[in-house]
Structures are given as C-alpha cells and as structure tokens.
Amino acid sequence: MFDGLGFQAKSGDFVSLTGKNGSGKSTFLRVLAGFIPASEGAMGFSVDGESATGVARDSFLMVGHMNGLKPAFSLRQNLQLFSRLMTGRHIDDDSLLEAACTFGLAALLDESVQYFSSGQRHRSALTRFCLVPRQIWLMDEPTVGLDAENRQALAGLIQRHIACGGIVIAATHDPMGVSGQTLNMDVFRPTGNPSVDEDWL
Amino acid sequence: MFDGLGFQAKSGDFVSLTGKNGSGKSTFLRVLAGFIPASEGAMGFSVDGESATGVARDSFLMVGHMNGLKPAFSLRQNLQLFSRLMTGRHIDDDSLLEAACTFGLAALLDESVQYFSSGQRHRSALTRFCLVPRQIWLMDEPTVGLDAENRQALAGLIQRHIACGGIVIAATHDPMGVSGQTLNMDVFRPTGNPSVDEDWL
Amino acid sequence: MSSMQTVSHGSVFFSLVNRDIKLAWSQGGGSLLAIGFFFIAVSLFPFGIGPEPQVLARIAPGVIWVVALLSSVVSLDRLYQADYEDGSLDDLALSPLGMLGVATAKVLAHWFSTTLPLALAAPALGILLNLPDNAYGPLVASLLIGTPALSLIGSVGAALTVAVRRGGVLMFLLILPLYVPTLIFGVGAVDAAVTMTDPLPHLALLGATTLIAFVVGLFASVAALNLAME
Amino acid sequence: MSSMQTVSHGSVFFSLVNRDIKLAWSQGGGSLLAIGFFFIAVSLFPFGIGPEPQVLARIAPGVIWVVALLSSVVSLDRLYQADYEDGSLDDLALSPLGMLGVATAKVLAHWFSTTLPLALAAPALGILLNLPDNAYGPLVASLLIGTPALSLIGSVGAALTVAVRRGGVLMFLLILPLYVPTLIFGVGAVDAAVTMTDPLPHLALLGATTLIAFVVGLFASVAALNLAME
Amino acid sequence: MHRFANPAQFNRLADVVLPWAIGLTVLLSVAGLYYALFSSPPDYQQGESVRVMYVHVPAAWMGMFVYMVMAAASFTALVWRHPLALLAGKAAAPIGAIFTALALITGMLWGKPMWGTYWVWDGRLTSVLVQFFLYLGYMALWQAMEDEEKAGRAASILALVGVVNIPIIKFSVDWWSTLHQPASVMRLDGPTIDGAMLVPLFLMAAAYQAYFVVVFLWRMKLEINNRKLSVMRQASLQNTETQMEVAG
Ligand code: HEM
Ligand SMILES: Nc1ncnc2c1ncn2[C@@H]1O[C@H](COP(=O)(O)OP(=O)(O)OP(=O)(O)O)[C@@H](O)[C@H]1O
Ligand SMILES: Nc1ncnc2c1ncn2[C@@H]1O[C@H](COP(=O)(O)OP(=O)(O)OP(=O)(O)O)[C@@H](O)[C@H]1O
Ligand SMILES: [Mg+2]
Ligand SMILES: [Mg+2]
C-alpha cells in the first residue's frame, strides 16, 4: 500500500503529513493507530526506535473526520465521559474548566452539543488532547473549520506537547504554524502500474 | 436573530461571510436558501433590488457541511442524478467529463463514491456548480479539506460565475482568493441580552 | 446562466422515483431485505405457536397482515432520514419539484419497491401457515389496496422523526396505532373469504382508508419535513 | 505525559456501561421505545386475529416471545452503528479496555436497559392476551434466562452490519434464524406450564443456549468490529 | 494447502480435474437414476413415492456438506487471511443454497403424500430452513458491502457462527422425536435400510458430489477471473491518472 514509506519519529517531534486529496493521509493515520493492519515490510515507521506496530494502543490519542461527541449530552458530560473512558478516572471541575478554556469553550460547557456549530464541535473534539495525557497525538485535518484565533490556540497546544516530549502527527492542507518534519504522501504513491501478477494472492 | 443584519447583492457580486465559530454563518446561509423562515424586518438582504424572501427557490444552489452524495452510486451516477433532479434534463457525457475535470475528478468518474477520501467527496459536491446553471451560489466552508491546486480551481470557478453575472455567497475561514464584499458576522451578533419583551408572545 | 429555462416536472419526478427504487434495491437493498424480514418473521410464528395446522390456519390472515405492517415500518425507518443525513434533502428542497412533489415521489418509490413486493410475496407465506385455498385472492387484493396506506401513513412518521437520532423505534410508536384501521379492514376481507361471506364491503372500506391516507399523509409529511429542515 | 499510569479497567468498563444505559434512556430513548413497540405490536394481534379468548390464550406465549424477539432486534440495530458513525468507536478502540471489553460492556448495557425491561413488562401483555394464570412464572423466567442470548446474538448481527448503510433490515435476516433455538426453548417452557408438564428441562436447554451465545457471540462480535474499523 | 494458494496453479489443477469430474457426474447420475427409477423396489409402506428419497436424501446431505466446506473456507480465510479461501466460500454458497432448497422442496413434495401436509414445524425441517436462511444471509452480506475483501470476511464470520446449526440438523430427530424419520444410513451401528435401496442412494450421493465439484471449480475460476479483471481495471485507471498528471 505505502511502498517505501518510512520515517522515524522521536520524542519531541512534530510531523505534518501533506499531499493531495486521496494520497492516503487519513488511511496512514489509521494504520498508525493500529486500526488497519499493515504488512510489516511495507512500512518503516518507528517511534523512539521501536517499530510502530510494537507501540501500545494506549500511547495514541486520535481525532479524525468525525468528532466522537454524543449530541444528547452536554459538552461537560462529553468531556467527563471521554476522560473516564480513556483513563478510568473522574476529572475534577477545575481541570475540566481549564481544558475547555484552551479552545474558548468555557461558556458552552453546559450546552447540549446538538446545537453546536461545526467549528464548535470540532473544537470540542480537539479539547480531548487537554484531558488525557498520552504520548502520540494523531490528528486528521485539525484546522478544518477553525477561526484564526483557535488555529493559534491549536498551534500553541501542539508546541507545548512536543516541548514536553510528546509526538504529534497531523495530516493537513493548511500551514499549522509549528515547525517540524514534513512527510509528503504524494512521493510514496505506488509509481507505475500495480503489477498484475499471477501471484497476486 | 440577526439584528440589524443587512446587505445588498447584485449580479456579479462575491460576498464572503466571515466571523468566529458560532457567529451564525451557516444559519444565515440556510435562511437565505429559505429553509429557515426569517422575520422580514430583522433582515435586510436583497438581491438585485428584490428582497431575498421574494427570490424563487430555484435561483439557489447550495453546498453545506454534508455533501449530498449517495455512496452506493458511482460519481458519474451521482452527477447525472443531480443534474436530472435539478433541471429534469439528462446531461451528456461530454459535459459531464468537462464538469468533472474542474476539480480533477475525471479519473474517478466510475468509482463508487463510498471509497472517496474526504477531499474527493468534497470536490465531488462542489462539482454540482458546474452542472446546473443557477444564479445564486451559497457555499458553506467550500475550501475545507481541499489541497492547494483545488483551492485555485475553486477560486477560478467563482470568478467565472461572477463574471457571467452570478452571485456567490460563501461562509469561510480561509482566504478565498476572490475579491468582493466581506460581511463579518461578528458585528451583527445580538449585543447584550436578548430583550425579554412583553409583546413577545 | 438564467434559471428561467423551462423544466419538465414530470421528468424530475420520475428521476427521483427511479433513484429511490435503485437505492432500495442496491447495496444493503431495503426491498429484498424487507421481504426477507417478512418471511422470517412469519415463519417464527409457527415456532412460537406450535405446528397444529388448524390453529395456524385460524391465525394466518392476522399474522400475515400484522407482519406486513411491521416489515413495512421497518423499511420506512430511513425513508427520509438517509437523505437528511447526507444532505440531499437540502438539495431536493431546492429542486423544481417542491416538497410535496418530493414526498409524493419518495412514497411512490417506497410503495413500488418495498410494500408491493410484500403483497406479492404473501401467498407463499399463506402456504407456510396453511391458509385455506379460497383466501389467497382476498389476501392479495386486500394487501394491494391496503399497502399504499401503509407507505403513506409511514411517511408521516418517517418525516416526523427525521431529525431524531434513533428515530426508528420512536416511529413505531407513532405509526402503529394509525395502522389499526387498515389492519382491521384488511384482515376483515380475508376472514370474510375464509368464512364464505362477501369480502367486498371490507375492501371498499379499505380503499377509503387508503384515499384518506393519501391526502392527509402527504400534507402532513410535507409539513413535518419543512419543520425538520429549519 | 506517560501512558504508564495504572488504569482501573473496572472503572472504565462501568463508565461505558453507564454511558450506554444513559444514552438508551435519553432522547430518542431506545429502551422506552422498544417497550412501546413490544406493547403496540402485541396489541395489534387481537385486532388481526379477533378477540376470542381461547384462541388468544392458545397463541399468547408464542406471540409474546416472537414480538419480544422482534423488538429486541429493532433496538439492537444501532448498538454499534451510532458509535461507528460519530467516530466514538475509534476512541473506544484506543481505550484501555480493548474491543472485547467494549463489546461486553455494550451488550451488558443493552441487555440491562432494553431486553430486561421487556421481560419485566411481559406479564402485562399476558393479561391482554388472556394468558393462563400458571404460565406467568415460566414466562418471566424463560424471558429472564433467554433474553441475554437475544442481546448476545443480536450483537453479532449489529457488528456485522455496522459498516452497511440501511443495515437494520439486513440484520433481521442474519439474526432472526439464529434466534430460533432460543425461541423454541423459551416457548417450550411456557407451553409446558400451560399443559401442566415440567418446564425445567426447557429452561435448562434455554440456559445452555444462552451460555453458547455468550462465548460465540462475544468473539464473533469482536472479530466483526475489528473488521468494520479497517 | 499453500501449493494451491497461487491462483495460476489452482487454475491448472482445476483444468486437470474438471473433465474427469464432468465425466463422473454424467456417468454416476445416469447409473443412479436408472437404479433409482427402474431397478430398485418400491417400499412396502411408502410405495412408489419412496423414489423421492433418492433425490431428497443426497440433497439434504450435500446441503450440510457444502455448509461445512464453506465454513472451513471461512475459517481459513479469517485465520490465515487466505484470499483464495474467501473466494472458495463465495463460490460454494449458492451451490449449497440450491442443494438445501432442493432438499426442502422435495421434502415438502414428499410430505404431502406421507404426512398429509406440505409443511410441519418439527426440529429437522426447521433447522434445515434455518440453514437455508444462513446461506441467504451469507450471500446477502457479500452483496451488501462493495469492498470484496471486507464483505467476504464479514460473511465468513457469519458462516462460522452458523456452524452451530449443523449438529442441530443432525440430531434434531433424536432430540425432538417428531414426524421426520431418524437416521437410517449414517449411524454408528451401520445402516438399517435395505441394500437394494442403498445402492441407488449412494450412486446418487456420489453423482451429487461430483456435480458439486464441477460447479464449484467453475465458479472458482470465474471468481478468480473477476478478481483479476478488477485488478487490471484498477491498474489501467491508475495509468490514465498518472498520464493525466504528466500531461496536466
Ligand atoms: C421439507 C421437508 C424435509 C426436510 C427439510 C428434510 C430434511 C432432511 C435432512 C436434513 C436429512 C439428512 C439427515 C441426516 O443426514 O442425518 C434427511 C434425510 C431423510 N429424510 Fe428428510 N426432510 C424432509 C422431508 C422428508 C419426508 C417427507 C420424508 C419421508 C417421509 C423424509 C425422509 C427422509 C429419509 C428417509 C432420510 C434419510 C435418513 C437417513 O437415512 O439418514 N424427509 N431429510
Ligand atoms: N438547531 C439549532 N438550534 C439552536 N441553536 C442552534 C442550532 N443550530 C445552530 N445553533 C446555534 O446558532 C449559532 C450559530 O451557528 P452556526 O452553525 O450558524 O455558526 P457558524 O457561523 O456556521 O459557525 P462555524 O464557523 O463553527 O461553522 C451557534 O451558537 C449554535 O450554537
Ligand atoms: N475503505 C476504502 N476502501 C478502498 N479504498 C479506500 C478506502 N478508503 C479510502 N480509500 C482510497 O484510498 C485513497 C486514500 O484515501 P485517504 O482518505 O487516506 O486520503 P487522504 O490523503 O486522507 O485524502 P484527503 O486529503 O481527501 O482527506 C483514496 O484514493 C481512497 O479512494
Ligand atoms: Mg483524509
Ligand atoms: Mg458553519
């Protein structure tokens, strides 16, 4: 699938995945998270020297095109729930408020998520990164639908995380405002014909 | 709802709606399309001198956060269907191919939409503007998830439409690359408390 | 660039009907599967009730009609919801048809692709349940006359619950009580045939129910859809 | 920043169970509505079959059990699909529970919030259908023992159809045949009581079915869920 | 096992086996039908209608046998991720469904003179009906998803769950002593039916088996070619895409 794709990430790295629509950014993030099995040889991704398939699932935190919010619950309930499901611990109100402030959601904490605008939803989903401490963040187009102010907040958040030794891998079409490696997925597209081999099975 | 909001658009205008998340851009577009009834007084939008509520529904073409594609159909079937539902006419293959080329989808015409990446879906939805001739285009965050090349294609498309006397109203957080009026929705947000009026019922 | 070109409403209408039928028969195919549900649910009853032929024959018309109701509701569930969720309901609202045309086309497509096949499949289930020979005619006739009412009434429920997640089950609650008259007249016609009396009066009443459902159902659906889009 | 903090799996598990129960009872509430479906569908039968008390009494155990099956399937439809569509299934996959834990928690929540109330509501419907007095005990007992199997088998169908649009009706086709043994033993127990024989052997077989469903159901569900996420 | 993993090799093997299988099918069914219809005695109880047995019983056996083939293929596909096994399951399912339908239909036709009704709800008949539904569900799942690989694996999971039904079919006559008669051929203490009936029965069973091999191999080759076609189509698509990129 990803012929010859390989890169190393170590603590403190920010990797931005770029490439045309359909070049496989989202798919690659799902492979990293372990949702899609990858044939070992084809992919040379390693974290801190360990091959990616060896990294425990609970080192990852991901936000994809969908936001994983329950419209029936208020934002506060959604965040509390997420924290409990990921860590097993209840989050106290102060930490919750602090997390919500990152993307300016404090005033909306007790509103039902159902009535949020698309950007408000997306910010609510991003807030998870402030709730649950995990090393590797996978983000699929995190800047989508954010206004200028919140894009800055996002850049700040990422910067703080990599400064603390985290790893952030983000697929994006917009400049993220964070310096780091760039992995252009277009380069790794299978060049030429996929061989119609008698051994294709 | 939109206190004091008012603007005029005439043939050949491009209006970009900006504003913070939750400032009401999407809602405003739906009011324009006639999905949400607006109290006449509160909104002074007019097209070519006619009040917006007087404009026939079939002057509008809209693309929102959802893309209206049927995953069970191929892109070709989806586009043919859209054209037939909006105009009653069958679209010939040449026009279809030309339309699909606008956002570089020619090679995907016979693929099932189900497997498109998010950007490919969004481009498929935008292709509708090349299929059905209508005067007023309403676009909700049309640049979302597009790569650089396709953002340019979008700007070109809009420019051609307004050059032919069309009107384009787009809610966006990104620069669109087209010059025109900007309507900042933040300005129109109801300031202070919504008045609890005795005449309210 | 002008929107003033004349459009053929008939052509738009039938494109929509055609689209919905295709979708119903495509991947995940609602129609075939509603028939599958119909078959399986009916064949569960003998398990539940036991194999005695006389008992089965006695309850056959009722069971077939009730299960036809249930399977039609099951397939109505997403009549508008699929279009609402993927945004094509917004598109349809801006089409030249108007909401009334849209609702009519969708109900017609549902009836043709799903409820009509149920009516045609019913005789096969009659065999399973030991239905008396002279009851097959009235069974099919009553289903043919009565099933449009099922689609029409169901459309109201589908439109009302369109904006509600997990609307499916809520819909049952709204719809099933409204199905009762159709059910009573439909079973009445079959039972009349079984007991050798004239099924025609029952069929006439059934037809009247369908006509009322036609008028009330479509307008109520349109009102509910406009509400959902706000 | 380390992920090496110890997490209490039990606490995560019960948070998930708790969440699902809350969602089932909230807006659109699956549970209340499955019970509603249960009541309405059962009360359609007297309309369809006619009010004769002996006939109703004869078919009561079967009808109650079959409709309990149908209403449990109706509510199972979106067991995983809602989480799949809004992306929270991805989140759950990265939670410390693992997919087996997730499936177990969700099935438990479904049983507790939806199928268990059906079992408890059944006696009320027995009255509607004229169920003989000595059958109430076995009816509730058989439903209590058999309903976990309904949730477990249904979970497989829900997981298999999670990536299919309009999966609901396809699920019926996959699941209902697998419900047959549960149904036969369940009704067998009630019928035994009605005919004054010993319902215990039937209940024992029912229990065995539930145990098999427990093992097969959970593992098949996990396999199907992993597949859907690819 | 893995020697046949390669579709080319499989095709070669199939081409060798097919003519023999076709010959066997013709030969066995002619002989079987002759014995069944002309040279075996009518039953002292059932009269001439016993001849339905020679169609019915092998069909019922094959319905179960093909299900086991399908389940084994599904298991291989799921555990060793063997794509050829996926196709094997897909190829087998409709054949098994048809055998099962044949058993059901001949059983019903036989039931009318024997039991006075086409259908009764006893354990044997019911569990065979369930098996028929399982075949339908398996095929419906293949249809429901466009991604062949995923659809096939989902269907495989269902097939494995359904294996539970096979012992129910087999032992239902013992568990619920009902109308359908218990096993008289496939039993531990040897067959209890007359030798004159046994010969045509086994001939017909062998004919069905050979017929299965023929259709199964045909369908496998078809599926393999389909798969190849779609890979080639994909390739040519990517080709045009890269050409367009170069041109544009
Ligand atoms: C739709 C109705 C029927 C179905 C689904 C059905 C199903 C089956 C099945 C699955 C078997 C294979 C059993 C095994 O290998 O253990 C079988 C065998 C047999 N069936 Fe039927 N059957 C039906 C009707 C009948 C009728 C009406 C008769 C005759 C009275 C009959 C007579 C037999 C006999 C003699 C065998 C062979 C038993 C043995 O030697 O193992 N069946 N049937
Ligand atoms: N159905 C609704 N019921 C009640 N309030 C709503 C509803 N839809 C939106 N709102 C509220 O209206 C406000 C405007 O929402 P809208 O979606 O128009 O914002 P937006 O400008 O498009 O934001 P974004 O940039 O995030 O897309 C938000 O505060 C939102 O909470
Ligand atoms: N489930 C699937 N089955 C088959 N092909 C798929 C599937 N999902 C995605 N694809 C294909 O894989 C390719 C990569 O898709 P992916 O979503 O990873 O792209 P992307 O880089 O995220 O694009 P975008 O910028 O549009 O989000 C696309 O060509 C798409 O058609
Ligand atoms: Mg993507
Ligand atoms: Mg918006």
Side-chain angles (χ1 to χ4, degrees):
Chain A
M1 183 167 35
F2 297 109
D3 251 347
L5 202 166
F7 75 103
Q8 313 248 327
K10 54 182 193 309
S11 280
D13 271 3
F14 171 76
V15 183
S16 90
L17 296 178
T18 60
K20 296 209 187 102
N21 292 138
S23 56
K25 303 180 291 299
S26 304
T27 313
F28 183 57
L29 287 178
R30 294 184 70 81
V31 172
L32 288 182
F35 297 155
I36 305 179
S39 40
E40 187 69 31
M43 212 182 60
F45 171 61
S46 67
V47 179
D48 284 341
E50 242 191 290
S51 148
T53 41
V55 178
R57 272 204 175 186
D58 64 1
S59 312
F60 291 105
L61 207 54
M62 175 157 180
V63 68
H65 288 305
M66 296 338 285
N67 47 43
L69 301 168
K70 292 290 169 193
F73 291 158
S74 71
L75 177 58
R76 180 189 304 277
Q77 286 171 313
N78 266 296
L79 296 179
Q80 282 172 344
L81 191 67
F82 187 81
S83 156
R84 267 212 303 272
L85 285 179
M86 287 303 183
T87 65
R89 276 184 303 279
H90 186 78
I91 186 165
D92 60 288
D93 276 356
D94 290 343
S95 323
L96 194 73
L97 191 67
E98 201 191 309
C101 283
T102 318
F103 292 103
L105 291 168
L108 295 173
L109 264 179
D110 291 300
E111 300 287 305
S112 164
V113 167
Q114 191 163 22
Y115 301 118
F116 280 17
S117 78
S118 61
Q120 287 164 346
R121 266 168 227 244
H122 188 60
R123 278 147 58 190
S124 310
L126 289 174
T127 303
R128 65 181 54 187
F129 293 112
C130 315
L131 289 175
V132 176
R134 291 203 173 172
Q135 200 197 3
I136 308 173
W137 292 359
L138 305 175
M139 301 176 159
D140 199 355
E141 310 203 18
T143 55
V144 153
L146 290 189
D147 51 29
E149 203 174 305
N150 286 292
R151 287 190 191 194
Q152 275 182 5
L154 177 68
L157 184 68
I158 294 177
Q159 240 135 17
R160 280 198 300 281
H161 185 58
I162 58 180
C164 300
I167 296 175
V168 179
I169 301 169
T172 181
H173 296 290
D174 293 318
M176 298 279 300
V178 182
S179 60
Q181 325 177 25
T182 301
L183 193 67
N184 188 337
M185 298 294 293
D186 293 334
V187 180
F188 299 101
R189 302 193 74 184
T191 46
N193 304 340
S195 52
V196 184
D197 188 355
E198 285 300 286
D199 284 341
W200 52 265
L201 289 170
Chain B
M1 184 167 34
F2 297 111
D3 250 347
L5 200 167
F7 76 103
Q8 313 248 325
K10 55 182 191 311
S11 280
D13 272 4
F14 171 75
V15 184
S16 91
L17 296 178
T18 60
K20 294 211 188 100
N21 292 137
S23 57
K25 302 181 292 298
S26 304
T27 313
F28 183 56
L29 287 178
R30 293 183 72 79
V31 172
L32 288 181
F35 297 155
I36 305 179
S39 40
E40 187 69 33
M43 211 182 61
F45 171 61
S46 68
V47 179
D48 284 342
E50 241 191 293
S51 149
T53 41
V55 178
R57 270 203 177 185
D58 65 2
S59 313
F60 291 107
L61 207 54
M62 174 155 179
V63 68
H65 289 304
M66 295 338 284
N67 47 41
L69 302 168
K70 291 292 168 190
F73 291 157
S74 71
L75 176 58
R76 181 188 302 279
Q77 287 171 313
N78 268 296
L79 296 180
Q80 283 173 344
L81 190 67
F82 188 80
S83 156
R84 268 212 303 274
L85 286 180
M86 287 304 182
T87 66
R89 277 183 302 280
H90 185 77
I91 187 165
D92 61 286
D93 276 358
D94 289 343
S95 323
L96 193 75
L97 190 68
E98 202 193 307
C101 283
T102 318
F103 292 104
L105 292 169
L108 295 173
L109 266 179
D110 291 300
E111 298 289 303
S112 163
V113 167
Q114 191 164 20
Y115 302 119
F116 282 16
S117 77
S118 61
Q120 287 165 343
R121 266 168 229 245
H122 188 61
R123 279 147 58 190
S124 310
L126 289 175
T127 302
R128 64 180 55 187
F129 293 112
C130 315
L131 289 175
V132 176
R134 291 204 172 171
Q135 200 195 4
I136 308 174
W137 292 0
L138 305 176
M139 300 176 157
D140 199 355
E141 311 204 17
T143 55
V144 152
L146 292 188
D147 50 29
E149 204 174 305
N150 286 292
R151 286 189 191 195
Q152 274 181 5
L154 178 67
L157 184 69
I158 294 178
Q159 239 135 14
R160 282 197 299 283
H161 186 59
I162 57 179
C164 300
I167 298 175
V168 179
I169 303 169
T172 182
H173 295 290
D174 293 318
M176 296 279 299
V178 182
S179 60
Q181 323 177 29
T182 301
L183 193 67
N184 188 336
M185 299 294 292
D186 293 335
V187 180
F188 301 101
R189 300 193 78 183
T191 45
N193 302 342
S195 56
V196 182
D197 188 355
E198 285 298 294
D199 281 345
W200 172 76
L201 290 170
Chain C
M1 195 49 59
S2 144
S3 63
M4 292 302 132
Q5 294 164 322
T6 53
V7 291
S8 148
H9 287 240
S11 155
V12 176
F13 184 84
F14 285 108
S15 304
L16 183 54
V17 174
N18 184 24
R19 172 192 90 147
D20 267 33
I21 293 176
K22 262 199 207 141
L23 283 173
W25 284 91
S26 79
Q27 169 230 33
S31 306
L32 260 177
L33 292 163
I35 303 174
F37 171 69
F38 190 41
F39 266 83
I40 294 178
V42 168
S43 25
L44 285 181
F45 279 90
F47 293 105
I49 285 159
E52 293 150 57
Q54 314 87 292
V55 177
L56 289 180
R58 169 70 190 76
I59 63 167
V63 167
I64 291 179
W65 253 99
V66 170
V67 176
L69 289 194
L70 296 181
S71 46
S72 115
V73 182
V74 164
S75 63
L76 274 163
D77 176 7
R78 294 182 67 77
L79 182 62
Y80 300 108
Q81 189 138 29
D83 284 350
Y84 176 78
E85 282 173 359
D86 70 14
S88 37
L89 200 59
D90 286 356
D91 297 342
L92 290 176
L94 294 181
S95 89
L97 270 187
M99 269 302 172
L100 185 59
V102 169
T104 315
K106 288 186 76 73
V107 171
L108 182 63
H110 177 265
W111 178 76
F112 187 79
S113 68
T114 310
T115 3
L116 181 62
L118 291 184
L120 302 178
L125 291 171
I127 300 179
L128 276 183
L129 293 184
N130 232 34
L131 191 73
D133 287 345
N134 59 343
Y136 286 88
L139 178 68
V140 175
S142 69
L143 283 169
L144 283 180
I145 300 176
T147 44
L150 300 187
S151 294
L152 286 160
I153 298 172
S155 153
V156 182
L160 278 173
T161 54
V162 84
V164 182
R165 259 147 215 284
R166 312 203 40 153
V169 207
L170 177 59
M171 221 185 78
F172 281 109
L173 283 190
L174 301 177
I175 291 299
L176 288 180
L178 294 176
Y179 276 174
V180 168
T182 310
L183 175 64
I184 290 180
F185 299 135
V187 177
V190 189
D191 275 345
V194 173
T195 57
M196 304 293 186
T197 58
D198 186 9
L200 275 187
H202 297 274
L203 292 179
L205 282 171
L206 192 60
T209 317
T210 302
L211 284 183
I212 296 176
F214 188 75
V215 180
V216 178
L218 285 182
F219 282 97
S221 303
V222 171
L225 283 179
N226 281 331
L227 190 68
M229 304 238 324
E230 274 184 21
Chain D
M1 192 51 56
S2 145
S3 61
M4 292 302 131
Q5 294 164 323
T6 53
V7 289
S8 147
H9 286 242
S11 154
V12 176
F13 184 85
F14 285 108
S15 304
L16 183 53
V17 175
N18 184 22
R19 173 193 91 146
D20 267 33
I21 294 176
K22 261 199 205 144
L23 282 173
W25 285 91
S26 78
Q27 170 231 30
S31 306
L32 258 177
L33 290 163
I35 303 173
F37 172 70
F38 191 41
F39 267 84
I40 293 182
V42 168
S43 34
L44 285 180
F45 279 89
F47 290 110
I49 285 159
E52 293 151 55
Q54 313 87 296
V55 177
L56 288 181
R58 169 71 190 76
I59 64 169
V63 167
I64 292 179
W65 253 99
V66 171
V67 177
L69 288 195
L70 296 179
S71 45
S72 116
V73 182
V74 164
S75 62
L76 274 164
D77 177 8
R78 294 183 66 76
L79 181 63
Y80 300 109
Q81 189 139 32
D83 283 350
Y84 176 77
E85 282 174 357
D86 70 13
S88 36
L89 199 60
D90 286 354
D91 297 341
L92 291 176
L94 294 180
S95 87
L97 270 187
M99 268 300 171
L100 186 60
V102 169
T104 315
K106 288 187 75 74
V107 170
L108 182 63
H110 177 265
W111 178 76
F112 187 79
S113 67
T114 309
T115 6
L116 181 61
L118 291 184
L120 302 178
L125 291 170
I127 300 177
L128 261 185
L129 294 183
N130 229 34
L131 191 74
D133 286 346
N134 59 342
Y136 285 89
L139 179 67
V140 174
S142 68
L143 283 169
L144 283 180
I145 300 176
T147 45
L150 300 187
S151 294
L152 285 160
I153 298 173
S155 152
V156 181
L160 280 174
T161 54
V162 82
V164 181
R165 261 149 213 282
R166 312 203 41 149
V169 205
L170 177 57
M171 219 184 80
F172 280 108
L173 188 63
L174 303 181
I175 291 299
L176 288 181
L178 295 174
Y179 276 175
V180 167
T182 312
L183 175 63
I184 290 182
F185 300 134
V187 177
V190 188
D191 275 345
V194 173
T195 59
M196 304 295 185
T197 57
D198 186 8
L200 274 189
H202 297 274
L203 292 180
L205 282 171
L206 193 60
T209 315
T210 301
L211 283 183
I212 295 176
F214 188 75
V215 179
V216 177
L218 284 182
F219 281 99
S221 302
V222 171
L225 284 178
N226 282 331
L227 184 67
M229 305 238 323
E230 277 184 18
Chain E
M1 179 87 220
H2 278 267
R3 277 202 306 126
F4 315 122
N6 176 315
Q9 225 149 12
F10 178 87
N11 267 339
R12 277 193 293 278
L13 184 80
D15 288 338
V16 173
V17 174
L18 262 174
W20 291 96
I22 294 172
L24 261 180
T25 309
V26 174
L27 216 73
L28 285 168
S29 35
V30 168
L33 282 174
Y34 172 77
Y35 269 97
L37 296 181
F38 305 110
S39 106
S40 73
D43 190 67
Y44 72 101
Q45 262 184 332
Q46 305 189 343
E48 295 293 343
S49 74
V50 73
R51 302 194 194 285
V52 179
M53 177 173 78
Y54 306 120
V55 186
H56 167 78
V57 178
W61 286 343
M62 288 304 290
M64 290 188 284
F65 171 75
V66 176
Y67 196 95
M68 291 311 293
V69 170
M70 193 173 92
S74 299
F75 186 78
T76 317
L78 285 178
V79 176
W80 292 289
R81 301 220 156 203
H82 202 298
L84 211 69
L86 270 189
L87 296 187
K90 189 184 185 193
I95 315 175
I98 286 170
F99 279 129
T100 310
L102 190 65
L104 282 166
I105 292 167
T106 53
M108 284 171 79
L109 294 178
W110 201 2
K112 190 66 179 173
M114 287 304 109
W115 305 334
T117 164
Y118 287 115
W119 189 259
V120 289
W121 291 96
D122 87 345
R124 166 60 59 79
L125 274 60
T126 314
S127 48
V128 173
L129 189 62
V130 166
Q131 174 176 283
F132 183 64
F133 285 138
L134 284 172
Y135 276 122
L136 291 189
Y138 179 89
M139 293 188 284
L141 260 185
W142 264 103
Q143 286 298 313
M145 290 183 232
E146 272 198 22
D147 182 346
E148 289 261 300
E149 169 86 15
K150 265 177 125 172
R153 298 216 328 262
S156 299
I157 295 171
L158 180 73
L160 286 180
V161 172
V163 170
V164 175
N165 188 47
I166 294 286
I168 299 183
I169 296 181
K170 188 74 200 152
F171 299 113
S172 51
V173 277
D174 305 326
W175 292 344
W176 300 276
S177 45
T178 44
L179 275 177
H180 195 282
Q181 77 178 67
S184 45
V185 183
M186 304 290 211
R187 40 191 300 152
L188 292 175
D189 47 1
T192 58
I193 112 177
D194 189 72
M197 291 183 179
L198 220 47
V199 173
L201 192 57
F202 277 136
L203 277 176
M204 286 303 284
Y208 276 38
Q209 193 76 46
Y211 172 79
F212 167 72
V213 171
V214 172
V215 182
F216 179 69
L217 289 180
W218 268 339
R219 287 185 49 82
M220 280 292 285
K221 283 169 65 103
L222 185 77
E223 291 298 340
I224 288 176
N225 285 341
N226 276 345
R227 186 61 74 93
K228 227 179 244 172
L229 217 64
S230 77
V231 171
M232 260 145 61
R233 207 171 59 96
Q234 202 89 4
S236 76
L237 254 178
Q238 292 217 338
N239 237 349
T240 47
E241 209 173 330
T242 37
Q243 272 166 16
M244 284 174 63
E245 268 165 29
V246 171

